[in-house]
Amino acid sequence: MPVEDKIQKDISLAQFTTFRIGGPAKFFIEVKEKDDLPGAIKWARENKEKFFILGGGSNIIINDKGVDGLVIKMTNDDIKIHGERVEAQAGATLARAMRLATGENLSGLEWAAGIPRATIGGAVRGNAGAFGSSIADKIETIEVFNVKKEKFELFSHKDCGFSYRESIFKKDENYLIWNAVLKLEKGKKIEIESAVNKFLESRQNRQPKLPSAGSVFKNLLFDYLKENNANIADLASQAGVVKEGKVGAGWLIELAGLKGKKIGGAKVSLEHANFIVNTSQATAEDIVMLISYIKQQVRNRFNIQLQEEVQYLGF
Ligand SMILES: Cc1cc2nc3c(=O)[nH]c(=O)nc-3n(C[C@H](O)[C@H](O)[C@H](O)COP(=O)(O)OP(=O)(O)OC[C@H]3O[C@@H](n4cnc5c(N)ncnc54)[C@H](O)[C@@H]3O)c2cc1C
């Protein structure tokens, strides 16, 4: 079917986000076939529409007014396992990749247990991670569609410029992730499963049940804290919350007394202060106002600038 016949109009995006918030996309396409990605970009260009990529919608805030342009939802979700390598398309979920890998006694993605709906594409772009690991640790190559050159290219791990919650794909929107090859390690099933269960249990206790988009803010480098507020850095050391050179943004938000703070239907989670939850009928505006309030309070009280981990769409 030609790409133009796959493009739909006025599709509500709230259903595609874990926040359950967001207005309609003016145009919308699900991309499963490889040719449809360049095809969709070409269509957007010819029709003078902007385009946006949507993965699992688990780290995104979409404007209540919707998105003026073409939203490309990645639904390519093939996963193949060859020996220790997992080849996963961008629209496959991280959780499924982890489960299939576990089934083959492959270790290296256990940390991803319990992250709902995140796709490989979204995880690679934001270098998702937890419990001291991140997806970059296992990436061997990434196949991308280069929008400027209008062709697919293969990136090595080095080309991806990974660092904490960062990658070249975040800095340059011309690179769209098509698939990823991860190199895991053979392990013992009982040990892999026990690690998965341990991480799931830990999430059970600290991850809110209400709709959210995961951590709103990036954690803070301890060196940055020391430079900007030595007292807070000392307090973090004494409290034992410095882990791998970072301090959780949630710890600081709680210290600012913001746990439970509510604007409209948006609330700072009581379980984990770095999560904002949609208590009921929250609008994107409620979420954005709460984020801005938290940033202002933390800056005014501690001279610390929080940075969003969540992405905005349609603002
Ligand atoms: C309950 C909960 C727990 C979470 N826990 C964690 C955690 O422990 N660690 C963690 O790191 N994150 C966590 N998250 C956040 C989220 O799951 C991750 O950031 C995830 O990687 C986002 O992937 P996604 O497919 O949902 O991306 P989306 O939210 O759909 O998109 C995020 C960004 O990635 C871009 N993008 C998506 N796919 C592609 C692609 N193929 N090519 C180029 N750009 C693309 C989008 O344009 C957007 O800018 C959690 C979220 C929830 C709701």
Side-chain angles (χ1 to χ4, degrees):
M1 197 197 287
V3 160
E4 47 273 27
D5 293 350
K6 296 184 183 174
I7 291 173
Q8 304 172 61
K9 275 188 187 166
D10 268 339
I11 298 295
S12 162
L13 295 173
Q15 59 182 320
F16 299 115
T17 72
T18 51
F19 253 142
R20 305 260 174 271
I21 293 172
K26 185 174 172 195
F27 297 104
F28 179 85
I29 185 169
E30 293 192 0
V31 164
K32 196 170 171 63
E33 306 301 326
K34 199 166 179 180
D35 287 348
D36 285 349
L37 186 55
I41 306 294
K42 191 162 170 258
W43 182 91
R45 199 170 276 152
E46 285 171 0
N47 290 278
K48 301 198 172 28
E49 296 290 345
K50 287 188 235 151
F51 69 87
F52 309 90
I53 303 288
L54 187 60
S58 65
N59 202 214
I60 208 155
I61 304 166
I62 298 183
N63 198 324
D64 302 313
K65 295 193 184 96
V67 179
D68 185 18
L70 173 65
V71 171
I72 301 172
K73 164 107 178 107
M74 302 300 288
T75 55
N76 57 333
D77 60 357
D78 244 32
I79 299 179
K80 289 192 184 81
I81 299 187
H82 320 273
E84 295 184 337
R85 288 184 173 78
V86 176
E87 191 180 336
Q89 290 189 328
T93 64
L94 191 55
R96 193 169 132 246
M98 185 278 291
R99 274 198 312 276
L100 292 179
T102 303
E104 297 292 323
N105 302 335
L106 291 174
S107 167
L109 283 179
E110 295 89 325
W111 56 269
I115 305 184
R117 290 175 55 168
T119 63
I120 292 288
V124 168
R125 180 182 183 272
N127 189 14
F131 307 107
S133 299
S134 72
I135 195 158
D137 303 343
K138 303 296 170 200
I139 294 292
E140 214 169 55
T141 54
I142 301 289
E143 189 179 4
V144 302
F145 179 68
N146 183 328
V147 173
K148 266 195 196 147
K149 294 188 184 161
E150 296 181 31
K151 62 174 193 177
F152 284 92
E153 294 176 340
L154 202 62
F155 278 35
S156 69
H157 181 280
K158 203 165 153 244
D159 298 331
C160 298
F162 288 121
S163 60
Y164 172 65
R165 299 292 178 270
E166 286 293 339
S167 74
I168 189 163
F169 313 111
K170 223 173 179 177
K171 296 186 185 100
D172 190 336
E173 308 257 312
N174 283 303
Y175 299 127
L176 312 180
I177 298 152
W178 178 256
N179 89 347
V181 175
L182 293 95
K183 169 122 180 351
L184 306 184
E185 293 104 42
K186 276 279 175 205
K188 291 199 179 109
K189 183 163 256 141
I190 191 161
E191 286 172 12
I192 299 171
E193 282 177 348
S194 127
V196 166
N197 290 335
K198 189 184 78 186
F199 292 139
L200 277 175
E201 207 174 297
S202 162
R203 280 185 192 274
Q204 277 290 325
N205 300 329
R206 60 189 194 119
Q207 203 161 275
K209 308 283 177 289
L210 288 168
S212 77
S215 293
V216 174
F217 301 103
K218 291 181 187 175
N219 290 331
L220 294 140
L221 290 176
F222 185 58
D223 286 344
Y224 170 76
L225 277 193
K226 278 198 289 193
E227 277 165 30
N228 286 273
N229 191 329
N231 291 338
I232 292 290
D234 283 348
L235 203 60
S237 295
Q238 284 158 26
V241 293
V242 187
K243 292 191 181 121
E244 283 133 32
K246 290 186 210 75
V247 172
W251 178 78
L252 212 58
I253 296 167
E254 192 171 349
L255 200 66
L258 297 173
K259 234 181 182 182
K261 169 75 191 167
K262 225 176 149 193
I263 295 185
K267 181 178 172 185
V268 177
S269 164
L270 294 171
E271 285 98 344
H272 191 319
N274 198 12
F275 279 58
I276 289 178
V277 290
N278 176 0
T279 57
S280 70
Q281 315 287 317
T283 60
E285 201 184 343
D286 294 340
I287 308 273
V288 170
M289 283 197 301
L290 188 53
I291 290 179
S292 137
Y293 181 79
I294 295 168
K295 287 175 82 170
Q296 185 197 48
Q297 290 292 307
V298 169
R299 191 172 51 236
N300 290 351
R301 297 178 69 143
F302 305 133
N303 190 34
I304 302 287
Q305 183 64 49
L306 290 173
Q307 273 180 16
E308 284 94 327
E309 187 171 312
V310 290
Q311 307 293 307
Y312 296 95
L313 188 53
F315 288 90

